[in-house]
């Protein structure tokens, strides 16, 4: 341990272990070894990393010796998969009991969840259609919109008269094909 600097492992974690370590041999053996390992980790890594490791070890010691005190092997920490499966089953049972005790709350909760899922699905359908799917053309990345500059006003516009479109069609040598669409200002639909 780093006695010069006076640094020690987290005091709360040590108290947690002291609450279950009953004999002096257990206390000095386990706690002494963990303090030495904490000091070694403190030199190699940061203080936070060493403290987190020490807390993890303190929790393991607590559960192990608590189980021995109770003579109950089911109090030992379980594997992460078994723990998550058991926790999920407990959560489902608790939710069902709560919903059965309060049917009005259950109806409101189920309606809220249903509306949320429906709204999310509808919004995703629109976003997928409009933004995510490719255009229904052979090479959509090669499509361009053609505009022209109005000499009198100096503005750029994509609006063409049918005569301008015919002139553009006759003069376009750098385009493979040209197409036009009809758009009326103020209407949401575009007739392609």
């Amino acid at each position: 341990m780093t006695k010069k600097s006076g640094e020690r492992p987290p005091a709360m974690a040590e108290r947690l272990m002291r609450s279950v370590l009953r004999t002096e041999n257990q206390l000095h053996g386990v706690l002494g070894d963990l303090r030495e390992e904490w000091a070694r980790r403190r030199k190699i890594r940061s203080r936070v990393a060493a403290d987190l490791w020490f807390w993890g070890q303190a929790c393991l010691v607590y559960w192990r010796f608590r189980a021995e005190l109770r003579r109950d092997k089911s109090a030992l920490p379980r594997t992460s998969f078994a723990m998550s499966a058991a926790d999920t089953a407990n959560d489902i049972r608790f939710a069902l009991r709560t919903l059965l005790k309060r049917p009005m709350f259950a109806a409101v909760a189920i309606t809220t969840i249903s509306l949320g899922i429906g709204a999310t699905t509808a919004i995703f359908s629109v976003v997928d259609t409009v933004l995510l799917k490719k255009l229904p053309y052979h090479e959509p990345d090669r499509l361009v919109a053609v505009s022209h500059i109005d000499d009198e006003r100096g503005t750029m516009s994509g609006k063409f008269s049918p005569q301008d479109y015919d002139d553009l069609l006759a003069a376009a040598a750098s385009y493979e094909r040209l197409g036009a669409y009809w758009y009326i200002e103020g209407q949401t639909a575009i007739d392609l």
Side-chain angles (χ1 to χ4, degrees), residues 145-180:
V146 180
S147 301
H148 71 280
I149 297 176
D150 189 351
D151 293 333
E152 296 171 8
R153 293 186 210 126
T155 59
M156 194 159 76
S157 168
K159 299 176 185 173
F160 292 94
S161 67
Q163 293 79 13
D164 288 341
Y165 175 73
D166 290 337
D167 293 340
L168 187 62
L169 192 57
S174 61
Y175 299 111
E176 192 175 306
R177 279 183 262 152
L178 285 175

PDB file of all heavy atoms in Angstrom, residues 145-180:
ATOM      1  N   ALA A 145     -31.041  18.256 -61.280  1.00  0.00           N
ATOM      2  CA  ALA A 145     -32.113  19.214 -61.546  1.00  0.00           C
ATOM      3  C   ALA A 145     -31.499  20.381 -62.307  1.00  0.00           C
ATOM      4  O   ALA A 145     -30.446  20.899 -61.930  1.00  0.00           O
ATOM      5  CB  ALA A 145     -32.729  19.705 -60.243  1.00  0.00           C
ATOM      6  N   VAL A 146     -32.129  20.781 -63.366  1.00  0.00           N
ATOM      7  CA  VAL A 146     -31.613  21.852 -64.218  1.00  0.00           C
ATOM      8  C   VAL A 146     -32.322  23.146 -63.863  1.00  0.00           C
ATOM      9  O   VAL A 146     -33.540  23.180 -63.701  1.00  0.00           O
ATOM     10  CB  VAL A 146     -31.827  21.509 -65.716  1.00  0.00           C
ATOM     11  CG1 VAL A 146     -31.291  22.610 -66.595  1.00  0.00           C
ATOM     12  CG2 VAL A 146     -31.170  20.185 -66.038  1.00  0.00           C
ATOM     13  N   SER A 147     -31.528  24.204 -63.729  1.00  0.00           N
ATOM     14  CA  SER A 147     -32.072  25.528 -63.439  1.00  0.00           C
ATOM     15  C   SER A 147     -31.515  26.515 -64.452  1.00  0.00           C
ATOM     16  O   SER A 147     -30.568  26.226 -65.176  1.00  0.00           O
ATOM     17  CB  SER A 147     -31.675  25.981 -62.039  1.00  0.00           C
ATOM     18  OG  SER A 147     -32.145  25.080 -61.079  1.00  0.00           O
ATOM     19  N   HIS A 148     -32.074  27.674 -64.475  1.00  0.00           N
ATOM     20  CA  HIS A 148     -31.522  28.728 -65.339  1.00  0.00           C
ATOM     21  C   HIS A 148     -31.538  30.054 -64.588  1.00  0.00           C
ATOM     22  O   HIS A 148     -32.299  30.225 -63.631  1.00  0.00           O
ATOM     23  CB  HIS A 148     -32.278  28.826 -66.661  1.00  0.00           C
ATOM     24  CG  HIS A 148     -33.646  29.392 -66.547  1.00  0.00           C
ATOM     25  ND1 HIS A 148     -34.732  28.657 -66.125  1.00  0.00           N
ATOM     26  CD2 HIS A 148     -34.098  30.643 -66.783  1.00  0.00           C
ATOM     27  CE1 HIS A 148     -35.796  29.424 -66.106  1.00  0.00           C
ATOM     28  NE2 HIS A 148     -35.462  30.642 -66.499  1.00  0.00           N
ATOM     29  N   ILE A 149     -30.674  30.960 -65.030  1.00  0.00           N
ATOM     30  CA  ILE A 149     -30.572  32.259 -64.386  1.00  0.00           C
ATOM     31  C   ILE A 149     -31.353  33.261 -65.220  1.00  0.00           C
ATOM     32  O   ILE A 149     -31.144  33.382 -66.435  1.00  0.00           O
ATOM     33  CB  ILE A 149     -29.099  32.693 -64.246  1.00  0.00           C
ATOM     34  CG1 ILE A 149     -28.359  31.705 -63.346  1.00  0.00           C
ATOM     35  CG2 ILE A 149     -29.004  34.113 -63.703  1.00  0.00           C
ATOM     36  CD1 ILE A 149     -26.889  31.973 -63.210  1.00  0.00           C
ATOM     37  N   ASP A 150     -32.230  33.975 -64.563  1.00  0.00           N
ATOM     38  CA  ASP A 150     -33.015  35.026 -65.219  1.00  0.00           C
ATOM     39  C   ASP A 150     -32.117  36.252 -65.369  1.00  0.00           C
ATOM     40  O   ASP A 150     -31.656  36.822 -64.376  1.00  0.00           O
ATOM     41  CB  ASP A 150     -34.251  35.347 -64.376  1.00  0.00           C
ATOM     42  CG  ASP A 150     -35.213  36.259 -65.098  1.00  0.00           C
ATOM     43  OD1 ASP A 150     -34.845  36.778 -66.173  1.00  0.00           O
ATOM     44  OD2 ASP A 150     -36.329  36.452 -64.585  1.00  0.00           O
ATOM     45  N   ASP A 151     -31.816  36.634 -66.610  1.00  0.00           N
ATOM     46  CA  ASP A 151     -30.906  37.750 -66.860  1.00  0.00           C
ATOM     47  C   ASP A 151     -31.450  39.071 -66.321  1.00  0.00           C
ATOM     48  O   ASP A 151     -30.684  39.915 -65.837  1.00  0.00           O
ATOM     49  CB  ASP A 151     -30.635  37.886 -68.364  1.00  0.00           C
ATOM     50  CG  ASP A 151     -29.841  36.693 -68.896  1.00  0.00           C
ATOM     51  OD1 ASP A 151     -29.104  36.089 -68.088  1.00  0.00           O
ATOM     52  OD2 ASP A 151     -29.965  36.373 -70.081  1.00  0.00           O
ATOM     53  N   GLU A 152     -32.747  39.243 -66.400  1.00  0.00           N
ATOM     54  CA  GLU A 152     -33.330  40.514 -65.969  1.00  0.00           C
ATOM     55  C   GLU A 152     -33.294  40.654 -64.439  1.00  0.00           C
ATOM     56  O   GLU A 152     -32.953  41.712 -63.916  1.00  0.00           O
ATOM     57  CB  GLU A 152     -34.767  40.628 -66.464  1.00  0.00           C
ATOM     58  CG  GLU A 152     -34.876  40.674 -67.972  1.00  0.00           C
ATOM     59  CD  GLU A 152     -36.323  40.577 -68.440  1.00  0.00           C
ATOM     60  OE1 GLU A 152     -37.236  40.624 -67.600  1.00  0.00           O
ATOM     61  OE2 GLU A 152     -36.517  40.457 -69.648  1.00  0.00           O
ATOM     62  N   ARG A 153     -33.652  39.608 -63.722  1.00  0.00           N
ATOM     63  CA  ARG A 153     -33.729  39.683 -62.258  1.00  0.00           C
ATOM     64  C   ARG A 153     -32.475  39.146 -61.559  1.00  0.00           C
ATOM     65  O   ARG A 153     -32.267  39.408 -60.378  1.00  0.00           O
ATOM     66  CB  ARG A 153     -34.947  38.898 -61.767  1.00  0.00           C
ATOM     67  CG  ARG A 153     -36.243  39.520 -62.187  1.00  0.00           C
ATOM     68  CD  ARG A 153     -37.414  38.800 -61.546  1.00  0.00           C
ATOM     69  NE  ARG A 153     -38.541  38.902 -62.457  1.00  0.00           N
ATOM     70  CZ  ARG A 153     -39.242  37.887 -62.920  1.00  0.00           C
ATOM     71  NH1 ARG A 153     -38.968  36.692 -62.518  1.00  0.00           N
ATOM     72  NH2 ARG A 153     -40.223  38.083 -63.764  1.00  0.00           N
ATOM     73  N   GLY A 154     -31.674  38.361 -62.223  1.00  0.00           N
ATOM     74  CA  GLY A 154     -30.477  37.800 -61.626  1.00  0.00           C
ATOM     75  C   GLY A 154     -30.754  36.655 -60.666  1.00  0.00           C
ATOM     76  O   GLY A 154     -29.919  36.314 -59.848  1.00  0.00           O
ATOM     77  N   THR A 155     -31.933  36.048 -60.741  1.00  0.00           N
ATOM     78  CA  THR A 155     -32.276  34.948 -59.841  1.00  0.00           C
ATOM     79  C   THR A 155     -32.200  33.627 -60.575  1.00  0.00           C
ATOM     80  O   THR A 155     -32.362  33.565 -61.798  1.00  0.00           O
ATOM     81  CB  THR A 155     -33.695  35.132 -59.271  1.00  0.00           C
ATOM     82  OG1 THR A 155     -34.624  35.174 -60.358  1.00  0.00           O
ATOM     83  CG2 THR A 155     -33.789  36.406 -58.462  1.00  0.00           C
ATOM     84  N   MET A 156     -31.969  32.570 -59.792  1.00  0.00           N
ATOM     85  CA  MET A 156     -31.922  31.237 -60.366  1.00  0.00           C
ATOM     86  C   MET A 156     -33.272  30.575 -60.171  1.00  0.00           C
ATOM     87  O   MET A 156     -33.856  30.650 -59.091  1.00  0.00           O
ATOM     88  CB  MET A 156     -30.828  30.416 -59.689  1.00  0.00           C
ATOM     89  CG  MET A 156     -30.491  29.153 -60.446  1.00  0.00           C
ATOM     90  SD  MET A 156     -28.891  28.496 -60.042  1.00  0.00           S
ATOM     91  CE  MET A 156     -29.187  27.779 -58.476  1.00  0.00           C
ATOM     92  N   SER A 157     -33.754  29.940 -61.203  1.00  0.00           N
ATOM     93  CA  SER A 157     -35.075  29.334 -61.133  1.00  0.00           C
ATOM     94  C   SER A 157     -35.062  27.998 -61.849  1.00  0.00           C
ATOM     95  O   SER A 157     -34.312  27.802 -62.800  1.00  0.00           O
ATOM     96  CB  SER A 157     -36.092  30.289 -61.787  1.00  0.00           C
ATOM     97  OG  SER A 157     -37.317  29.631 -61.975  1.00  0.00           O
ATOM     98  N   GLY A 158     -35.896  27.097 -61.377  1.00  0.00           N
ATOM     99  CA  GLY A 158     -36.029  25.811 -62.040  1.00  0.00           C
ATOM    100  C   GLY A 158     -37.278  25.750 -62.904  1.00  0.00           C
ATOM    101  O   GLY A 158     -37.647  24.704 -63.393  1.00  0.00           O
ATOM    102  N   LYS A 159     -37.933  26.891 -63.073  1.00  0.00           N
ATOM    103  CA  LYS A 159     -39.177  26.930 -63.847  1.00  0.00           C
ATOM    104  C   LYS A 159     -38.859  27.217 -65.313  1.00  0.00           C
ATOM    105  O   LYS A 159     -38.120  28.133 -65.639  1.00  0.00           O
ATOM    106  CB  LYS A 159     -40.103  28.014 -63.300  1.00  0.00           C
ATOM    107  CG  LYS A 159     -40.500  27.790 -61.865  1.00  0.00           C
ATOM    108  CD  LYS A 159     -41.332  28.940 -61.364  1.00  0.00           C
ATOM    109  CE  LYS A 159     -41.619  28.779 -59.884  1.00  0.00           C
ATOM    110  NZ  LYS A 159     -42.291  29.943 -59.326  1.00  0.00           N
ATOM    111  N   PHE A 160     -39.448  26.393 -66.168  1.00  0.00           N
ATOM    112  CA  PHE A 160     -39.264  26.540 -67.602  1.00  0.00           C
ATOM    113  C   PHE A 160     -40.630  26.586 -68.263  1.00  0.00           C
ATOM    114  O   PHE A 160     -41.553  25.877 -67.850  1.00  0.00           O
ATOM    115  CB  PHE A 160     -38.483  25.354 -68.193  1.00  0.00           C
ATOM    116  CG  PHE A 160     -37.058  25.282 -67.762  1.00  0.00           C
ATOM    117  CD1 PHE A 160     -36.681  24.522 -66.681  1.00  0.00           C
ATOM    118  CD2 PHE A 160     -36.083  25.972 -68.463  1.00  0.00           C
ATOM    119  CE1 PHE A 160     -35.368  24.437 -66.293  1.00  0.00           C
ATOM    120  CE2 PHE A 160     -34.768  25.894 -68.076  1.00  0.00           C
ATOM    121  CZ  PHE A 160     -34.399  25.127 -66.992  1.00  0.00           C
ATOM    122  N   SER A 161     -40.703  27.357 -69.300  1.00  0.00           N
ATOM    123  CA  SER A 161     -41.915  27.298 -70.130  1.00  0.00           C
ATOM    124  C   SER A 161     -41.756  26.109 -71.076  1.00  0.00           C
ATOM    125  O   SER A 161     -40.645  25.613 -71.267  1.00  0.00           O
ATOM    126  CB  SER A 161     -42.079  28.597 -70.920  1.00  0.00           C
ATOM    127  OG  SER A 161     -41.036  28.723 -71.869  1.00  0.00           O
ATOM    128  N   PRO A 162     -42.829  25.627 -71.677  1.00  0.00           N
ATOM    129  CA  PRO A 162     -42.685  24.515 -72.627  1.00  0.00           C
ATOM    130  C   PRO A 162     -41.722  24.842 -73.768  1.00  0.00           C
ATOM    131  O   PRO A 162     -40.983  23.981 -74.238  1.00  0.00           O
ATOM    132  CB  PRO A 162     -44.108  24.299 -73.138  1.00  0.00           C
ATOM    133  CG  PRO A 162     -44.976  24.782 -72.024  1.00  0.00           C
ATOM    134  CD  PRO A 162     -44.225  25.926 -71.415  1.00  0.00           C
ATOM    135  N   GLN A 163     -41.680  26.100 -74.199  1.00  0.00           N
ATOM    136  CA  GLN A 163     -40.751  26.491 -75.266  1.00  0.00           C
ATOM    137  C   GLN A 163     -39.301  26.432 -74.782  1.00  0.00           C
ATOM    138  O   GLN A 163     -38.408  25.997 -75.521  1.00  0.00           O
ATOM    139  CB  GLN A 163     -41.075  27.920 -75.772  1.00  0.00           C
ATOM    140  CG  GLN A 163     -42.403  28.041 -76.479  1.00  0.00           C
ATOM    141  CD  GLN A 163     -43.593  28.126 -75.514  1.00  0.00           C
ATOM    142  OE1 GLN A 163     -43.421  28.337 -74.320  1.00  0.00           O
ATOM    143  NE2 GLN A 163     -44.781  27.922 -76.046  1.00  0.00           N
ATOM    144  N   ASP A 164     -39.074  26.888 -73.531  1.00  0.00           N
ATOM    145  CA  ASP A 164     -37.719  26.804 -72.980  1.00  0.00           C
ATOM    146  C   ASP A 164     -37.280  25.346 -72.866  1.00  0.00           C
ATOM    147  O   ASP A 164     -36.120  25.018 -73.117  1.00  0.00           O
ATOM    148  CB  ASP A 164     -37.662  27.447 -71.591  1.00  0.00           C
ATOM    149  CG  ASP A 164     -37.758  28.949 -71.632  1.00  0.00           C
ATOM    150  OD1 ASP A 164     -37.502  29.530 -72.702  1.00  0.00           O
ATOM    151  OD2 ASP A 164     -38.104  29.542 -70.582  1.00  0.00           O
ATOM    152  N   TYR A 165     -38.197  24.472 -72.505  1.00  0.00           N
ATOM    153  CA  TYR A 165     -37.864  23.055 -72.383  1.00  0.00           C
ATOM    154  C   TYR A 165     -37.488  22.489 -73.751  1.00  0.00           C
ATOM    155  O   TYR A 165     -36.519  21.746 -73.858  1.00  0.00           O
ATOM    156  CB  TYR A 165     -39.035  22.273 -71.777  1.00  0.00           C
ATOM    157  CG  TYR A 165     -38.786  20.781 -71.742  1.00  0.00           C
ATOM    158  CD1 TYR A 165     -37.886  20.228 -70.839  1.00  0.00           C
ATOM    159  CD2 TYR A 165     -39.437  19.918 -72.628  1.00  0.00           C
ATOM    160  CE1 TYR A 165     -37.642  18.876 -70.811  1.00  0.00           C
ATOM    161  CE2 TYR A 165     -39.189  18.561 -72.602  1.00  0.00           C
ATOM    162  CZ  TYR A 165     -38.297  18.041 -71.694  1.00  0.00           C
ATOM    163  OH  TYR A 165     -38.049  16.704 -71.671  1.00  0.00           O
ATOM    164  N   ASP A 166     -38.213  22.860 -74.780  1.00  0.00           N
ATOM    165  CA  ASP A 166     -37.880  22.385 -76.131  1.00  0.00           C
ATOM    166  C   ASP A 166     -36.504  22.884 -76.557  1.00  0.00           C
ATOM    167  O   ASP A 166     -35.725  22.142 -77.165  1.00  0.00           O
ATOM    168  CB  ASP A 166     -38.945  22.849 -77.131  1.00  0.00           C
ATOM    169  CG  ASP A 166     -40.270  22.127 -76.937  1.00  0.00           C
ATOM    170  OD1 ASP A 166     -40.253  21.008 -76.367  1.00  0.00           O
ATOM    171  OD2 ASP A 166     -41.315  22.671 -77.346  1.00  0.00           O
ATOM    172  N   ASP A 167     -36.180  24.147 -76.233  1.00  0.00           N
ATOM    173  CA  ASP A 167     -34.851  24.683 -76.571  1.00  0.00           C
ATOM    174  C   ASP A 167     -33.752  23.930 -75.814  1.00  0.00           C
ATOM    175  O   ASP A 167     -32.712  23.608 -76.378  1.00  0.00           O
ATOM    176  CB  ASP A 167     -34.777  26.174 -76.230  1.00  0.00           C
ATOM    177  CG  ASP A 167     -35.681  27.019 -77.116  1.00  0.00           C
ATOM    178  OD1 ASP A 167     -36.063  26.533 -78.201  1.00  0.00           O
ATOM    179  OD2 ASP A 167     -36.003  28.156 -76.708  1.00  0.00           O
ATOM    180  N   LEU A 168     -34.003  23.661 -74.546  1.00  0.00           N
ATOM    181  CA  LEU A 168     -33.031  22.934 -73.740  1.00  0.00           C
ATOM    182  C   LEU A 168     -32.840  21.516 -74.259  1.00  0.00           C
ATOM    183  O   LEU A 168     -31.722  21.003 -74.319  1.00  0.00           O
ATOM    184  CB  LEU A 168     -33.495  22.901 -72.281  1.00  0.00           C
ATOM    185  CG  LEU A 168     -32.540  22.336 -71.259  1.00  0.00           C
ATOM    186  CD1 LEU A 168     -31.263  23.171 -71.196  1.00  0.00           C
ATOM    187  CD2 LEU A 168     -33.182  22.263 -69.904  1.00  0.00           C
ATOM    188  N   LEU A 169     -33.924  20.875 -74.669  1.00  0.00           N
ATOM    189  CA  LEU A 169     -33.865  19.521 -75.203  1.00  0.00           C
ATOM    190  C   LEU A 169     -33.044  19.477 -76.483  1.00  0.00           C
ATOM    191  O   LEU A 169     -32.252  18.556 -76.689  1.00  0.00           O
ATOM    192  CB  LEU A 169     -35.291  19.014 -75.442  1.00  0.00           C
ATOM    193  CG  LEU A 169     -35.489  17.544 -75.737  1.00  0.00           C
ATOM    194  CD1 LEU A 169     -34.918  16.700 -74.615  1.00  0.00           C
ATOM    195  CD2 LEU A 169     -36.953  17.236 -75.919  1.00  0.00           C
ATOM    196  N   ALA A 170     -33.191  20.495 -77.325  1.00  0.00           N
ATOM    197  CA  ALA A 170     -32.453  20.532 -78.592  1.00  0.00           C
ATOM    198  C   ALA A 170     -30.970  20.819 -78.366  1.00  0.00           C
ATOM    199  O   ALA A 170     -30.111  20.297 -79.087  1.00  0.00           O
ATOM    200  CB  ALA A 170     -33.049  21.593 -79.509  1.00  0.00           C
ATOM    201  N   ALA A 171     -30.645  21.619 -77.333  1.00  0.00           N
ATOM    202  CA  ALA A 171     -29.260  22.031 -77.125  1.00  0.00           C
ATOM    203  C   ALA A 171     -28.505  21.123 -76.154  1.00  0.00           C
ATOM    204  O   ALA A 171     -27.291  21.269 -76.020  1.00  0.00           O
ATOM    205  CB  ALA A 171     -29.229  23.461 -76.597  1.00  0.00           C
ATOM    206  N   ALA A 172     -29.162  20.199 -75.470  1.00  0.00           N
ATOM    207  CA  ALA A 172     -28.514  19.394 -74.431  1.00  0.00           C
ATOM    208  C   ALA A 172     -27.710  18.264 -75.039  1.00  0.00           C
ATOM    209  O   ALA A 172     -28.256  17.248 -75.439  1.00  0.00           O
ATOM    210  CB  ALA A 172     -29.555  18.851 -73.472  1.00  0.00           C
ATOM    211  N   ALA A 173     -26.396  18.446 -75.056  1.00  0.00           N
ATOM    212  CA  ALA A 173     -25.518  17.399 -75.562  1.00  0.00           C
ATOM    213  C   ALA A 173     -24.883  16.615 -74.411  1.00  0.00           C
ATOM    214  O   ALA A 173     -24.445  15.483 -74.588  1.00  0.00           O
ATOM    215  CB  ALA A 173     -24.433  18.014 -76.433  1.00  0.00           C
ATOM    216  N   SER A 174     -24.812  17.218 -73.230  1.00  0.00           N
ATOM    217  CA  SER A 174     -24.124  16.553 -72.124  1.00  0.00           C
ATOM    218  C   SER A 174     -25.048  15.697 -71.266  1.00  0.00           C
ATOM    219  O   SER A 174     -24.596  15.067 -70.331  1.00  0.00           O
ATOM    220  CB  SER A 174     -23.439  17.605 -71.248  1.00  0.00           C
ATOM    221  OG  SER A 174     -24.398  18.487 -70.724  1.00  0.00           O
ATOM    222  N   TYR A 175     -26.331  15.670 -71.585  1.00  0.00           N
ATOM    223  CA  TYR A 175     -27.290  14.872 -70.831  1.00  0.00           C
ATOM    224  C   TYR A 175     -27.703  13.659 -71.640  1.00  0.00           C
ATOM    225  O   TYR A 175     -27.854  13.725 -72.845  1.00  0.00           O
ATOM    226  CB  TYR A 175     -28.542  15.689 -70.483  1.00  0.00           C
ATOM    227  CG  TYR A 175     -28.247  16.895 -69.625  1.00  0.00           C
ATOM    228  CD1 TYR A 175     -28.368  18.176 -70.133  1.00  0.00           C
ATOM    229  CD2 TYR A 175     -27.849  16.739 -68.318  1.00  0.00           C
ATOM    230  CE1 TYR A 175     -28.088  19.280 -69.346  1.00  0.00           C
ATOM    231  CE2 TYR A 175     -27.564  17.832 -67.531  1.00  0.00           C
ATOM    232  CZ  TYR A 175     -27.681  19.104 -68.050  1.00  0.00           C
ATOM    233  OH  TYR A 175     -27.397  20.183 -67.274  1.00  0.00           O
ATOM    234  N   GLU A 176     -27.890  12.550 -70.959  1.00  0.00           N
ATOM    235  CA  GLU A 176     -28.326  11.335 -71.628  1.00  0.00           C
ATOM    236  C   GLU A 176     -29.794  11.452 -72.026  1.00  0.00           C
ATOM    237  O   GLU A 176     -30.176  11.129 -73.136  1.00  0.00           O
ATOM    238  CB  GLU A 176     -28.127  10.160 -70.662  1.00  0.00           C
ATOM    239  CG  GLU A 176     -28.257   8.808 -71.298  1.00  0.00           C
ATOM    240  CD  GLU A 176     -27.926   7.712 -70.299  1.00  0.00           C
ATOM    241  OE1 GLU A 176     -26.831   7.755 -69.703  1.00  0.00           O
ATOM    242  OE2 GLU A 176     -28.785   6.828 -70.112  1.00  0.00           O
ATOM    243  N   ARG A 177     -30.624  11.894 -71.064  1.00  0.00           N
ATOM    244  CA  ARG A 177     -32.050  12.103 -71.313  1.00  0.00           C
ATOM    245  C   ARG A 177     -32.517  13.290 -70.486  1.00  0.00           C
ATOM    246  O   ARG A 177     -31.953  13.598 -69.451  1.00  0.00           O
ATOM    247  CB  ARG A 177     -32.858  10.879 -70.888  1.00  0.00           C
ATOM    248  CG  ARG A 177     -32.845   9.766 -71.910  1.00  0.00           C
ATOM    249  CD  ARG A 177     -33.708   8.624 -71.479  1.00  0.00           C
ATOM    250  NE  ARG A 177     -32.791   7.633 -70.883  1.00  0.00           N
ATOM    251  CZ  ARG A 177     -33.120   6.783 -69.957  1.00  0.00           C
ATOM    252  NH1 ARG A 177     -34.330   6.757 -69.485  1.00  0.00           N
ATOM    253  NH2 ARG A 177     -32.259   5.941 -69.475  1.00  0.00           N
ATOM    254  N   LEU A 178     -33.606  13.903 -70.889  1.00  0.00           N
ATOM    255  CA  LEU A 178     -34.225  14.990 -70.147  1.00  0.00           C
ATOM    256  C   LEU A 178     -35.683  14.650 -69.896  1.00  0.00           C
ATOM    257  O   LEU A 178     -36.328  13.985 -70.714  1.00  0.00           O
ATOM    258  CB  LEU A 178     -34.146  16.315 -70.911  1.00  0.00           C
ATOM    259  CG  LEU A 178     -32.803  17.015 -70.944  1.00  0.00           C
ATOM    260  CD1 LEU A 178     -32.871  18.240 -71.843  1.00  0.00           C
ATOM    261  CD2 LEU A 178     -32.385  17.441 -69.555  1.00  0.00           C
ATOM    262  N   GLY A 179     -36.195  15.104 -68.790  1.00  0.00           N
ATOM    263  CA  GLY A 179     -37.602  14.922 -68.484  1.00  0.00           C
ATOM    264  C   GLY A 179     -38.112  16.160 -67.780  1.00  0.00           C
ATOM    265  O   GLY A 179     -37.342  16.940 -67.220  1.00  0.00           O
ATOM    266  N   ALA A 180     -39.396  16.354 -67.772  1.00  0.00           N
ATOM    267  CA  ALA A 180     -39.989  17.520 -67.115  1.00  0.00           C
ATOM    268  C   ALA A 180     -41.188  17.067 -66.302  1.00  0.00           C
ATOM    269  O   ALA A 180     -41.756  15.995 -66.546  1.00  0.00           O
ATOM    270  CB  ALA A 180     -40.401  18.551 -68.153  1.00  0.00           C
TER     271      ALA A 180
END
